[in-house]
Amino acid sequence: MPSMSMTSLPPRIALQLFYEVSIVLALVTVLFVLYGYWQSRRFPEPVEGDLRDPYDRSRHWLMQGLGALWLLDGLLQAQPLMVTRFIGGFLAPLLSGQPAFLAFWIDVGVKLWSVNPVLWNVFATFIQIGIGLGLIWGHPDRGQRIALWVSLAWGLVVWVAGEALGGIFSGGGWLTGAPGSVFFYMVAALLLLPSRDWWRNPRVTRAIEWGVAILFAFEAFLQAWPPAGWWTASGIQGFVLSMAEMPQPTFVSAPLYAWAHALGRHPALWNGILVGGLVVLAVLWAIRPRHRGVWWLTVAWVFAAWWLGQDFGVLGGMGTDPNSGAILILGLLAYGDRVGLVRLPVFHKVSQPHSLPETSA
């Protein structure tokens, strides 16, 4: 495995430079947003599709939600700790337990970042903000498509060098958010890139359902893999306890402490429940994916893992994204609207509504 020496923290002048460059780019971003808003008021462009239609509405929600998540990731990347402790506190620990091919690319990322952590962090911050703005306010045929392609390229870099493939080779499981939030960002981008006609194809719906079933089966395997340590108190309780001890409101941490106490008493039992629940969900999504009860059970299961396992991803001062729970819930909402299990609200005025032929799910 490649090794690295712990670099010293950037000097105070580096932080000053970071803020100076960030302020300039922030002003440019604000001017860009204001210009885009002014243009949209002068030359209003219709939203792609008819938001009264569940297919177009679910696609619109997925696009806007993905943009909001990328925008949030960019703002989280702008935290001061990302300049001073990103290498030692985030990137370097990823090297532990990785296979050689993956450790090589993580080490490359560490060395590149250490050349100039200030400029790299500014670049990472604003490329993610740019992706988010492009997805939220971009033109369907230009800005959004460019943002989707950029999100795929940048997402691949982040997933490999910044998330270590979600930790699937180093003990990651359902509670950690494996295979990583950026993996799901890329899946969402791949679903949004093709045409609206492709999106309305019933085969896409079935492919999504099988994809969710396979995901839960894979998560059950990761959670049950003995070397990962989830069957032991030190493994499963230690992980949850580390989340509970993060600086956060008491109402968020109290359930984590309570569950960590229960995990310490019966770790194998609780992990067995987790594995069994994931297997049940995999089977249900294979045979009855459009049952309303299955959908609600899945939403509740994902939200519980997002809170009790991932601690919402952003708490504690070093979070770079809200972890997998957020994008999975967004995907479940879009799917639920698509197949008629829930109707998502519309906050955008449709300027040129048109009727579309009905397509069975």
Side-chain angles (χ1 to χ4, degrees):
M1 178 183 300
S3 60
M4 62 158 290
S5 60
M6 297 299 294
T7 58
S8 60
L9 298 181
R12 187 181 300 271
I13 188 65
L15 277 177
Q16 181 180 350
L17 175 61
F18 168 73
Y19 286 122
E20 290 175 353
V21 176
S22 295
I23 289 172
V24 172
L25 290 180
L27 290 175
V28 173
T29 302
V30 170
L31 291 175
F32 171 78
V33 172
L34 292 176
Y35 176 76
Y37 177 76
W38 176 69
Q39 285 287 90
S40 66
R41 298 288 294 179
R42 289 187 61 198
F43 310 105
E45 296 174 341
V47 176
E48 185 181 24
D50 183 355
L51 298 187
R52 299 171 302 175
D53 178 83
Y55 288 92
D56 290 338
R57 188 169 57 247
S58 63
R59 191 174 188 274
H60 176 74
W61 259 78
L62 187 59
M63 183 79 75
Q64 298 295 300
L66 183 61
L69 288 174
W70 273 115
L71 187 59
L72 174 61
D73 292 358
L75 296 175
L76 290 171
Q77 192 69 43
Q79 297 176 93
L81 284 176
M82 296 302 173
V83 179
T84 59
R85 289 183 169 87
F86 190 63
I87 295 176
F90 192 86
L91 290 180
L94 293 176
L95 288 164
S96 177
Q98 303 297 345
F101 79 92
L102 185 55
F104 169 79
W105 289 111
I106 298 172
D107 191 59
V108 168
V110 170
K111 290 176 179 176
L112 286 175
W113 197 277
S114 64
V115 171
N116 196 322
V118 173
L119 293 183
W120 273 115
N121 201 69
V122 170
F123 173 77
T125 296
F126 284 96
I127 192 174
Q128 292 174 161
I129 290 176
I131 292 171
L133 293 176
L135 293 176
I136 295 173
W137 285 307
H139 187 281
D141 295 329
R142 295 189 298 273
Q144 287 183 343
R145 290 191 62 81
I146 293 173
L148 287 172
W149 281 112
V150 174
S151 74
L152 281 174
W154 178 247
L156 184 61
V157 172
V158 174
W159 189 46
V160 174
E163 288 192 347
L165 302 185
I168 59 176
F169 294 110
S170 56
W174 174 243
L175 295 181
T176 68
S181 58
V182 178
F183 170 81
F184 296 113
Y185 289 7
M186 292 189 293
V187 171
L190 289 173
L191 288 172
L192 291 168
L193 270 171
S195 65
R196 286 174 54 236
D197 291 338
W198 179 89
W199 174 261
R200 297 174 62 82
N201 193 318
R203 294 181 179 178
V204 175
T205 306
R206 194 57 185 145
I208 293 172
E209 293 162 355
W210 275 109
V212 175
I214 294 171
L215 171 65
F216 282 126
F218 180 64
E219 296 286 357
F221 170 78
L222 292 177
Q223 198 66 34
W225 184 243
W230 295 111
W231 298 98
T232 65
S234 61
I236 191 168
Q237 182 194 35
F239 174 77
V240 175
L241 195 59
S242 68
M243 296 294 103
E245 293 172 345
M246 292 289 185
Q248 57 193 310
T250 303
F251 74 89
V252 176
S253 62
L256 289 168
Y257 277 114
W259 195 38
H261 178 72
L263 290 171
R265 299 179 62 181
H266 304 286
L269 173 63
W270 278 106
N271 197 57
I273 292 174
L274 287 174
V275 174
L278 291 166
V279 170
V280 169
L281 285 174
V283 173
L284 289 175
W285 274 86
I287 62 176
R288 295 293 302 276
R290 303 178 202 184
H291 190 281
R292 194 175 300 273
V294 173
W295 185 82
W296 278 109
L297 175 64
T298 307
V299 171
W301 182 272
V302 171
F303 182 80
W306 190 29
W307 183 350
L308 300 177
Q310 303 166 23
D311 200 20
F312 300 117
V314 299
L315 300 177
M318 279 293 287
T320 57
D321 60 67
N323 214 321
S324 301
I327 182 64
L328 286 177
I329 290 176
L330 173 63
L332 286 170
L333 289 173
Y335 168 83
D337 196 351
R338 178 187 179 92
V339 299
L341 297 176
V342 66
R343 181 183 175 88
L344 298 175
V346 175
F347 304 103
H348 195 291
K349 182 179 179 181
V350 182
S351 57
Q352 293 182 358
H354 60 277
S355 59
L356 294 171
E358 294 184 358
T359 305
S360 60

